[in-house]
Amino acid sequence: MILFSQRHSPFARKAEVALLEAGLATIEVRHLADHVSQGDEAVYPENPLNTAPLLILDDGRSVFESEEICFYIDEFSRGALIPKDAGEREAVLTLQHLATGLCALGADLRWELQQNDMGISVPGLREDLIAQLGAAYDILENGPPMDRTPGDAVADIGTIALATALDWLTFRGLDRYLAPHPNLDWWVDSFRERPSMAATEYEDLSDL
């Protein structure tokens, strides 16, 4: 198998961290350029959306979009990332969806800040996006994943998604608009010490 990834994408990093946490470090990872150009020969034939991450299976089939890739990694590793218990599974997948939402809010906020610099921003949108991010951080400050320590033997897809999302928001400087969240900061700092996170750090190769 081959995983096509990008160094600045929280979704691609989530897939990379999932591979490592599932014990699949021998699977090849190829990093694409900052921008996946239209019709990229490495990606477009296998993923018409022309996005990374993209997983090419041994039989030539392709799996794209990070959540689907992580589902496949979980199945391939015999359930290393997603609990079988219905209640635990729901909690883990809900946390993953929350992390996806944080990335979407962060991307919208970055775009709005860039538009503001050009004098064409939408009135009130910046404040609304910051408020939504802050509300999510407030929930996380004393809720999940605080019930699970960052040093658990195997991270699940919920905590992996959340850690890579929060680290991306810090990487892009978006958390500076929020109030301090010491519990969440401690959790993310601790999770960053995992070998899987240290091996997949973001690189500032573009402004996207």
Side-chain angles (χ1 to χ4, degrees), residues 2-154:
I2 302 173
L3 176 68
F4 289 92
S5 184
Q6 288 178 303
R7 285 294 195 186
H8 61 76
S9 165
F11 304 111
R13 189 186 188 192
K14 178 176 71 173
E16 285 194 58
V17 172
L19 278 179
L20 296 176
E21 292 289 348
L24 303 176
T26 58
I27 291 178
E28 181 181 358
V29 176
R30 297 182 186 175
H31 290 106
L32 301 170
D34 299 350
H35 304 273
V36 180
S37 60
Q38 183 63 35
D40 188 292
E41 293 182 0
V43 176
Y44 186 72
E46 307 299 337
N47 177 5
L49 299 177
N50 212 48
T51 57
L54 167 68
L55 182 66
I56 305 296
L57 308 183
D58 290 337
D59 62 7
R61 290 180 296 139
S62 61
V63 182
F64 48 89
E65 296 302 300
S66 64
E67 290 191 7
E68 293 303 317
I69 290 172
C70 289
F71 277 127
Y72 183 85
I73 292 171
D74 179 70
E75 292 179 359
F76 189 82
S77 60
R78 300 182 179 181
L81 302 175
I82 303 174
K84 299 301 182 185
D85 176 81
E88 294 179 3
R89 179 185 180 90
E90 180 183 359
V92 164
L93 295 182
T94 297
L95 192 58
Q96 177 181 216
H97 291 316
L98 175 57
T100 299
L102 287 173
C103 291
L105 285 172
D108 288 346
L109 178 57
R110 292 194 72 230
W111 175 256
E112 177 60 17
L113 292 171
Q114 292 169 353
Q115 297 295 94
N116 183 67
D117 290 342
M118 295 185 289
I120 54 175
S121 63
V122 177
L125 181 57
R126 168 182 164 174
E127 290 73 19
D128 288 346
L129 292 169
I130 291 172
Q132 290 180 63
L133 272 177
Y137 272 61
D138 289 345
I139 292 172
L140 290 165
E141 175 69 4
N142 293 301
M146 296 304 152
D147 56 343
R148 283 169 288 171
T149 63
D152 284 346
V154 177

